[in-house]
Amino acid sequence: MSAQNASTIVTKFTISGFDTTKNPMLVGVVILIFYIVAVVANVVNILIILYNKKLHKPMYLLICNLAIVDLLYTTSASPTMIGVLVAGVKTISYVPCLIQMFTFHLAGVMEMFALSVMAFDRLIAISCPFQYHRYLTNTRILLLTYVLWIVACGFVAVLPATVIPLPYCYTVLKYNFCFYPAIIRTTCVDPEYYFNLAAITTFFLSFFTFGFICLSYVGIIYFAKLSSNNEKKKIASTCLSHLIVVICYYFPVFVIAILTRFGVVLTVEERNGFNIGSILGPSLVNPFVYCLRTREIKNEIIKMFSISQKS
């Protein structure tokens, strides 16, 4: 009997990615704490930018968009992992699993797009400081953001479109939440073609966005060389926040999605660890980086605490 003839109708999946985890409750509580901190920090960033008209500028709109992406990114998978580890809920229904896969990968693609646009924003701000607000208006930034969300949805829609028609032979996910490789491994087909499809798409998006970011920084370095020492310090301070965020996101992406296609072998535990780091890392680091290194946002937070203490 062929594998496809032995296929089954799947109504739910069992998540087994944490079965070998020592002290699952402790791991779950740690993820829960990181998740709560990430959500609160990103929501605070968003609210500060939305309710302060002084911050209704292109750079802050991009920071706000990044915070929304981070919220989607961490919320797409963290509650499921917390449920498995803390509450022992190891099953997830088929449709919610597909929705989780879509939102997780959508947030991943949007993270790349958001970081790319933010690099371009810094390039324009440094190379054309006096014409910055003429080139990058709020309307243009919002329009560009909407377009990028639509493009990202188009890219990610390929994943459920290739998964849904496939026959399923297994109901156990070997990983810690629903994402494309985990679901593909439950089907009756040879997964190599689909893994390669995902790797090619990821490589294209990563190469394009990371290459665009690198080119932007080449331009920034060029213009920095023409600046005074005082301006160089300002440029370095402005770009450091973005560089930290870029490294936090792209490092696990390159390891998981690209290096594994070129012979780097990761165990299930290692891959799960990288997945958790890629979800919680940027979502946790990004708001704090921009809060601590962006003077206007930091000042607004200080004002909020000062008002609350007086009252």
Side-chain angles (χ1 to χ4, degrees), residues 184-302:
I184 285 293
R185 286 192 181 278
T186 66
T187 65
C188 306
V189 300
D190 181 0
E192 203 61 28
Y193 166 78
Y194 298 94
F195 288 167
N196 288 334
L197 175 66
I200 290 169
T201 304
T202 304
F203 178 80
F204 170 75
L205 289 170
S206 302
F207 180 80
F208 174 77
T209 54
F210 189 72
F212 184 83
I213 291 170
C214 289
L215 288 175
S216 297
Y217 273 96
V218 168
I220 289 170
I221 292 169
Y222 171 77
F223 286 105
K225 287 182 178 180
L226 304 176
S227 306
S228 64
N229 289 333
N230 189 39
E231 288 176 336
K232 286 178 182 177
K233 290 180 181 179
K234 290 181 180 178
I235 291 170
S237 178
T238 302
C239 295
L240 183 60
S241 303
H242 184 257
L243 280 174
I244 293 171
V245 171
V246 168
I247 292 168
C248 282
Y249 177 74
Y250 277 96
F251 176 72
V253 167
F254 280 127
V255 173
I256 296 172
I258 296 175
L259 292 185
T260 52
R261 293 289 92 195
F262 290 97
V264 176
V265 179
L266 296 176
T267 64
V268 173
E269 290 78 11
E270 290 170 341
R271 185 180 284 271
N272 285 341
F274 271 108
N275 280 332
I276 294 171
S278 69
I279 295 166
L280 291 176
S283 303
L284 191 62
V285 171
N286 293 357
F288 285 103
V289 166
Y290 282 107
C291 281
L292 295 175
R293 297 199 61 83
T294 306
R295 187 177 66 255
E296 289 81 357
I297 295 178
K298 185 166 64 175
N299 289 342
E300 288 301 318
I301 293 174
I302 293 171

Side-chain angles (χ1 to χ4, degrees), residues 136-148:
L136 293 181
T137 62
N138 288 351
T139 303
R140 288 176 180 173
I141 288 296
L142 289 173
L143 182 60
L144 178 60
T145 302
Y146 292 144
V147 170
L148 289 177

